[in-house]
Amino acid sequence: MSRYPAMFAALKERGEGAFVPFVMVGDPDPDTSEAVIEALIAGGADALELGVPFTDPVADGPTIQKAHVRALAAGVGFQDCLEVVQRVRRRHPWLPIGMLIYGNVPFAMGLERFYSECAQAGIDSVLLPDVPIRESAAFSRAAEEAGVDAVYIAPPSAAAETLDAVAAASRGYVYAVSRVGVTGTEWASSTVGLAESVERLRADAAAPVMLGFGISRPEQVAEAIAAGADGAISGSATVQIVESHAPAIAAAGLGGAARKEVIEAMSAELRGFVAAMKAATRAR
């Protein structure tokens, strides 16, 4: 059963929006990736969006593309990601966990098997950034049968019929894209037209609306919530912190005091970033 409704209900009662950080599983290696996830949770993340490394991440900008490359170079595949999620789930049974994965993986595995394995690992939702809503029916059916929320993207300035279709198909939450383009802090988010899109989505009884793409500063989180979104998702800014520490982690080797020190420094920076972004969800 999805954990999103309980999360959004609790946040609404407290007068808060949701802050959901994204990180690539396996970046820069599986063990460090788990430490990254734990730091995000300790910083106050309301939920997680976890990426699975892929060779052709067409929706991602340079920062997250490099995270894909680092994780793939570490030999991380889909099954490795599920194992990480399973361990995180055992430690945090209440936390909503979403997976972002490109459509080739479920298509190659077979949709029934893919969503079943996601459910068994404790994943609440799956977002397929390269599957448009017009091609989503088979994915949605398989997800529903497995008890996984199918999440779809509401493009910026989308036609009314597209928003209606996204609203009808999305479970857990709707991913509202803040601007045209790919992920990345290089391009700022925009709330222009967001209020109108949220109103249209809510008219169709959509799941809560989360704003993503280009969210890297607390004021952008506050702007998203002020525009009517139920929360914000930040990816590239989080991944940049991991990237900045990756060379030192590699140099420190597989164990010892040096590695522990570098990972703690990275974790402290991640906790501080998440705490600041989460605080902005309360600034209403």
Side-chain angles (χ1 to χ4, degrees):
M1 183 176 178
S2 174
R3 295 164 179 84
Y4 289 108
M7 178 197 77
F8 282 113
L11 290 171
K12 184 176 181 180
E13 188 173 334
R14 298 198 301 266
E16 300 175 10
F19 177 66
V20 181
F22 165 93
V23 73
M24 184 68 61
V25 180
D27 176 27
D29 59 70
D31 288 344
T32 303
S33 175
E34 259 184 88
V36 167
I37 291 169
E38 290 300 321
L40 300 178
I41 298 169
D46 294 300
L48 297 173
E49 186 181 81
L50 303 179
V52 175
F54 184 59
T55 54
D56 190 21
V58 295
D60 290 311
T63 297
I64 295 180
Q65 284 182 8
K66 287 185 285 186
H68 284 274
V69 171
R70 288 191 298 272
L72 290 170
V76 175
F78 177 62
Q79 294 301 324
D80 302 297
C81 293
L82 290 184
E83 290 174 7
V84 170
V85 171
Q86 286 173 335
R87 292 192 290 272
V88 173
R89 172 58 68 215
R90 285 194 291 269
R91 294 191 294 268
H92 305 281
W94 49 269
L95 185 75
I97 299 177
M99 173 176 282
L100 188 152
I101 187 167
Y102 283 84
N104 295 50
V105 176
F107 186 80
M109 286 181 63
L111 301 187
E112 182 177 342
R113 175 189 165 197
F114 168 77
Y115 284 105
S116 175
E117 292 191 9
C118 287
Q120 291 172 21
I123 291 168
D124 294 283
S125 67
V126 172
L127 168 62
L128 305 168
D130 57 344
V131 174
I133 193 66
R134 65 179 179 274
E135 298 175 8
S136 66
F139 296 93
S140 291
R141 283 194 300 269
E144 184 175 8
E145 289 171 3
V148 174
D149 287 336
V151 176
Y152 295 104
I153 289 176
S157 305
E161 56 267 26
T162 299
L163 293 178
D164 292 345
V166 169
S170 293
R171 302 290 182 270
Y173 68 93
V174 177
Y175 195 124
V177 177
S178 65
R179 50 162 173 73
V180 176
V182 295
T183 61
T185 61
E186 299 89 348
W187 305 277
S189 68
S190 172
T191 57
V192 175
L194 177 62
E196 292 79 4
S197 294
V198 171
E199 184 178 359
R200 179 81 192 202
L201 290 165
R202 291 227 169 92
D204 293 310
V209 179
M210 299 289 290
L211 184 68
F213 280 37
I215 304 289
S216 62
R217 301 190 305 275
E219 59 266 30
Q220 293 170 327
V221 175
E223 288 169 1
I225 293 171
D230 295 280
I233 297 171
S234 179
S236 294
T238 308
V239 173
Q240 280 179 338
I241 295 173
V242 177
E243 179 182 18
S244 69
H245 291 274
I249 291 169
L254 298 178
R259 178 182 175 86
K260 183 178 180 180
E261 183 177 344
V262 174
I263 290 179
E264 178 50 41
M266 176 192 67
S267 297
E269 189 172 351
L270 288 165
R271 290 193 300 269
F273 171 76
V274 173
M277 298 291 270
K278 175 58 191 172
T281 71
R282 307 182 185 104
R284 293 190 173 187

